[in-house]
Amino acid sequence: MNEESLHEILSGIERSVRDFTQAEAALAEAEQRQDRTRQAVLEQVERLHAEVDAVHAPELIGVLRHLYWQQPGIHGRPLAEAAGLNLHEMLAAIGPAPSGILCADCGTELLRTSRSWKPPARYGPPLCPDCVSQERDAQWRQWGAERLRARIVAEALVQARAMDWRAAAELVLAFPPLSQKVGRGTVADQQDGVWRGWENARVIRNRLIAAAADGDDTTGFAVEEAHLLVETALRVVDWDTARTRDIVDPITHEPALALLTRLKREVRAIAQTARERADAAYPEGCELSEDEESEAWRGIGG
C-alpha cells in the first residue's frame, strides 16, 4: 500500500468518525427533546384530568384513546397515571382497537386489547374469541369422550385363575427395582416404568391374599393393571431360568413363559372387546351430556 492510498483511507475514517459523532450528538438532543415533549403531553393530560374532574369524562377518554393507540412513544403506564388511573383501568376505559387481522373461521376483524397484543395464532391461524371458545369447547368434548373410552378399556376385567395372577406377581416381585440397579424416578424408571410395574405386582398379590383367592379360583383384574403385570413379568421371565422355575413351580406347574403368553392374549382380547364397546358408546363427534362430561373429568383437579 502506497502512502497516498493510506492517507486517503485514514482521511475517510476521520470523516466517518466525525459524521458519527455529530449523529450521536443529534440523537442525544432529539432524545432529550422527545423526553421533554413527552413530559409536556403528560402534564397536559394531568391538567385535563383536573379540569374535567372525572376519570371517565368523554374528553379525557378520547384523548387517552388517541395517545395510547396512535402515539406509542407515550408510554402506557405514565399516561394512565396522569389521568388518575392504573393501566388496567385505562385499557378497560378506552377499549380495544382494530387490528386489521381477520378471524380465519368467521372473518370477524380481531381487536387489539393492548399494545403488546399479538393475534392468537400460536397453534394455528388467528381466531376471534368466540371461535377460540367454540374450538376449545369442541376440543374439550373430544378429550372428554377420549377419556371415557379409555376408562371403559382400562377398567374392563380380565378373568383368569388366581394361580396365574399369583405366579406372574411373584415373578415380578422376585426382581425388585433396586436389585435391577434402577432408582425411583431415574431415566430408566421413567422410560420402562420399573417401579410402577413392581408396585402394581405387589398390589395384585396383596389383593389375592386378602380375597383368599387361590388355585383355580377365577379372579378378575382391570385391563390396565393386568397389562402392566404381564408386560413387567415378561421382561424378567428369562433373566434367570432356574430362579424362575423355583418361583413359579410351587404355584403352578405350567411353564412361566407359556402362562404369561396366555395371559397376554387374554388381556389383548378383553382390551379389544372393551375398545369396540367404548367406540360404540362414544363414537367420534358424539355430544356428551352434562353428567357424562362430569364423569369424564372426575378426579381431575379435585
Side-chain angles (χ1 to χ4, degrees):
M1 178 181 295
N2 58 45
E3 186 174 344
E4 183 178 350
S5 296
L6 180 60
H7 177 74
E8 181 181 353
I9 292 173
L10 292 176
S11 297
I13 291 175
E14 183 179 355
R15 287 193 303 272
S16 297
V17 169
R18 185 170 58 249
D19 291 344
F20 178 74
T21 302
Q22 291 173 350
E24 276 191 319
L27 177 60
E29 291 174 356
E31 287 177 343
Q32 289 180 354
R33 185 168 181 273
Q34 184 186 43
D35 289 341
R36 289 195 302 270
T37 54
R38 180 190 295 119
Q39 187 57 39
V41 171
L42 295 176
E43 290 172 358
Q44 293 299 324
V45 172
E46 289 179 354
R47 286 187 60 195
L48 178 59
H49 171 231
E51 184 67 26
V52 298
D53 196 29
V55 294
H56 292 293
E59 299 84 357
L60 179 60
I61 297 305
V63 168
L64 292 177
R65 184 181 294 114
H66 170 78
L67 292 176
Y68 183 80
W69 290 119
Q70 305 301 325
Q71 300 293 334
I74 307 295
H75 303 314
R77 198 172 301 279
L79 177 61
E81 291 172 354
L85 301 165
N86 61 43
L87 183 58
H88 177 75
E89 291 169 338
M90 182 183 73
L91 291 176
I94 66 176
S99 68
I101 300 172
L102 302 183
C103 173
D105 278 0
C106 68
T108 300
E109 184 175 13
L110 305 185
L111 298 177
R112 299 174 62 201
T113 54
S114 71
R115 288 173 175 170
S116 60
W117 176 89
K118 290 181 174 55
R122 183 177 179 185
Y123 301 110
L127 300 175
C128 69
D130 287 344
C131 289
V132 167
S133 179
Q134 292 175 14
E135 185 179 76
R136 187 185 299 114
D137 289 345
Q139 187 69 62
W140 195 253
R141 288 192 298 272
Q142 178 183 338
W143 289 339
E146 289 174 359
R147 283 180 58 82
L148 290 173
R149 287 193 291 268
R151 187 174 297 169
I152 289 175
V153 176
E155 295 177 353
L157 287 181
V158 182
Q159 302 285 349
R161 297 180 304 177
M163 69 172 70
D164 295 345
W165 296 122
R166 184 66 180 267
E170 294 293 353
L171 184 58
V172 172
L173 294 174
F175 299 94
L178 289 179
S179 71
Q180 303 175 41
K181 298 181 179 180
V182 177
R184 189 189 298 271
T186 61
V187 173
D189 182 28
Q190 292 172 358
Q191 290 178 343
D192 299 329
V194 176
W195 277 90
R196 179 169 170 263
W198 187 82
E199 290 168 347
N200 177 67
R202 184 172 60 179
V203 168
I204 288 177
R205 182 188 63 179
N206 291 344
R207 282 195 207 157
L208 290 168
I209 293 173
D214 197 9
D216 290 328
D217 295 341
T218 299
T219 306
F221 288 98
V223 162
E224 189 172 41
E225 53 192 357
H227 173 76
L228 180 57
L229 175 66
V230 173
E231 291 302 314
T232 307
L234 283 170
R235 282 203 297 266
V236 302
V237 68
D238 291 329
W239 283 3
D240 187 333
T241 54
R243 189 178 181 192
T244 294
R245 282 195 302 272
D246 290 343
I247 296 165
V248 173
D249 282 354
I251 304 172
T252 174
H253 294 299
E254 184 177 7
L257 186 58
L259 181 154
L260 293 174
T261 301
R262 180 164 46 77
L263 280 178
K264 183 175 182 176
R265 284 199 300 267
E266 186 64 21
V267 170
R268 186 181 300 147
I270 296 298
Q272 179 60 33
T273 300
R275 196 170 295 113
E276 292 170 358
R277 189 168 69 253
D279 290 342
Y282 302 104
E284 288 295 329
C286 68
E287 291 287 337
L288 300 182
S289 68
E290 290 186 7
D291 289 343
E292 288 172 330
E293 287 187 6
S294 298
E295 176 64 19
W297 301 107
R298 173 170 51 86
I300 299 297

